[in-house]
Amino acid sequence: MKSALTPFRVRSYRFQWPADLLTSWALEMEFLILGWYVLVETGSVLLLTLFGALQHGGTLIAPILGVVSDRIGPRNLLTGMRMIYATIATTLMTLAFTGTINPVIVLVLVGFMGLVRPSDLGLRAALTADTMPHEQLTGAMGMSRITTDSARIAGALTGAGLFAWLGMGPAYVVIASFYALSALLTSQTDSAHSKKATEPVTATVTGRVSAWNDLREGIVHIWNTPSLMAIIWLVLLFNFTAFPLTNALLPYVAKEVYHVDQAGLSYLIASISLGAMVGGVLMSRTGVSERLPRLMIASAVAWHALLLVFAQMQTLPGGIVMLLVTGVFQSLTMVSLTVILVRESGQRLRGRVMGVRMMAIYSLPIGLLIAGELIKRIGFASTATLYAAVGLVFTIVIALRWREHMWPAAQPAPAE
C-alpha cells in the first residue's frame, strides 16, 4: 500500500488533475442544464435524445484527433479543446444574458462541441502516460478516475442548484470560468518523462506526412499487437453490454422498476459513482503494476456477475447496494484497462491508439437501441440478465483467446 497522493509529487500532474476535475464538473453541469432547457422549451423527448446523441458525434473522428495528438502532443491538443469549450460556453452565456438563446442554437453549439468532447478522456490518459514515471502510472490513473466520478455526483448537483437559484446566464459564468481555468492549467503541464509535449512526435518518422498514413499505422499497430486487440474487443463489449445498464437506462429503472422519482434516480447515480470513486482510490493506493491484466479480467468477471444480481433487484435499497459494489469493480476494470492500453501502445502511437479506443465507444448507442427494443418485449430484468450474461461469457472468451497476454506471469515492459 502507498499514499494515494504520490502522483502529485510530479509537477505536471499537479496541474493536470485540477484541470481535468474542472473540465469534468463543467461538462456534467452543462449537460444537465442544457438537457433540462431543451426538454422544457420544446417538450420533445425526441429532441432530448438528439441532444444526447450530439454529445457523441465526435466519436467517429476520435482516431483523427489521435493522429493530431501524436503530431503536436496531447497537452497542446487538450489545451486547444478546452479553449473551444470555454468559447462555446461564453457564447451560450452571452445568448442567455441577452435573451436570444433558443433550442436550435443550443443544439447547433452542442453539435460543434460534441465533435471534440468524446476525445477528452482518451487524451487525458495519453497526457498522464506521457508525464508520469512508469512506476506511478497506475496510481495516477486511479486518482484521475476520481475527477469523472466526482463530477457525476457533485457537478450535476451544483449545476442543478446554480440553474435553479441564479438562472442560465449566471450558471454559465461559472461553467465558462471552469473551462477557461482548465485550459490555463492544462497548458502548464509537460512531458518530462518522455518526449516534450511541444515536440511533434511524427518528426522522428521520415516520410510520414499524411494523416491517413499515420492513422493506418496506428490501426496496423493495434492489429499486430495481441494485447491491444484484446483491449479494443473488451472496450466494444463493455460499452455494448455493461454501460447501458448503469448509465442511460437508470432513469427507466428508477421510474418503471423501483417506482421512485428524480430523488431516487439521483441515489442510483450517486451510488455507482461513489463505488467507482472507491475503486479509483484503491487503485491509486495499491499501485498494482505487474499483474494488471489479471486484475482487469477478474474485476470484469465480478462486474458482470454483480450486474446479474442487480438485474433481479426490485427495490431501491437493493439497487443502491448492488450499484455501489458494482461501481467498485467497474472502476478497477476500467482503470486497469486504460493503464495497459497506454503502456502497450508506446509513446509515439499513443494518441492514435487512444483515438481508436474512443471510437469503440460507439457500441454503446447500438447496445442501447437493442436494449430498448428488448425491454419492450421481455422486460428490464430479462434484458439486463441477458446483457450481463453475454458480457460475462464473452469476457471469458476474450481472456481465453488472448490468454498468454491477458493472464501473463508478469507484465511485459512497456513499448517505447
Side-chain angles (χ1 to χ4, degrees), residues 379-403:
F380 174 79
S382 298
T383 300
T385 299
L386 176 62
Y387 267 51
V390 169
L392 179 61
V393 169
F394 279 94
T395 296
I396 296 173
V397 169
I398 292 171
L400 293 176
R401 168 64 178 81
W402 285 279
R403 176 181 174 82

Side-chain angles (χ1 to χ4, degrees), residues 54-69 77 81 84 111-120 123 211-212 215 351-352 354-362:
L54 289 172
Q55 307 288 325
H56 301 282
T59 307
L60 292 177
I61 66 169
I64 298 298
L65 289 178
V67 171
V68 177
S69 172
L77 182 56
M81 288 167 54
I84 292 174
F112 279 120
M113 188 170 177
L115 293 176
V116 293
R117 175 179 173 175
S119 298
D120 199 280
L123 289 172
W212 293 109
L215 178 57
R352 279 163 275 186
M354 293 306 294
V356 174
R357 178 252 187 271
M358 298 310 295
M359 187 173 67
I361 294 177
Y362 239 86

Side-chain angles (χ1 to χ4, degrees), residues 17 42 49 68 83 87 94 96 143 189 201 203 275 343 366 370 373:
W17 194 87
T42 67
T49 57
V68 177
M83 289 175 66
T87 301
T94 303
M143 286 299 295
T189 60
V201 178
R343 283 182 176 175
I366 296 173
I370 296 175
E373 187 62 31

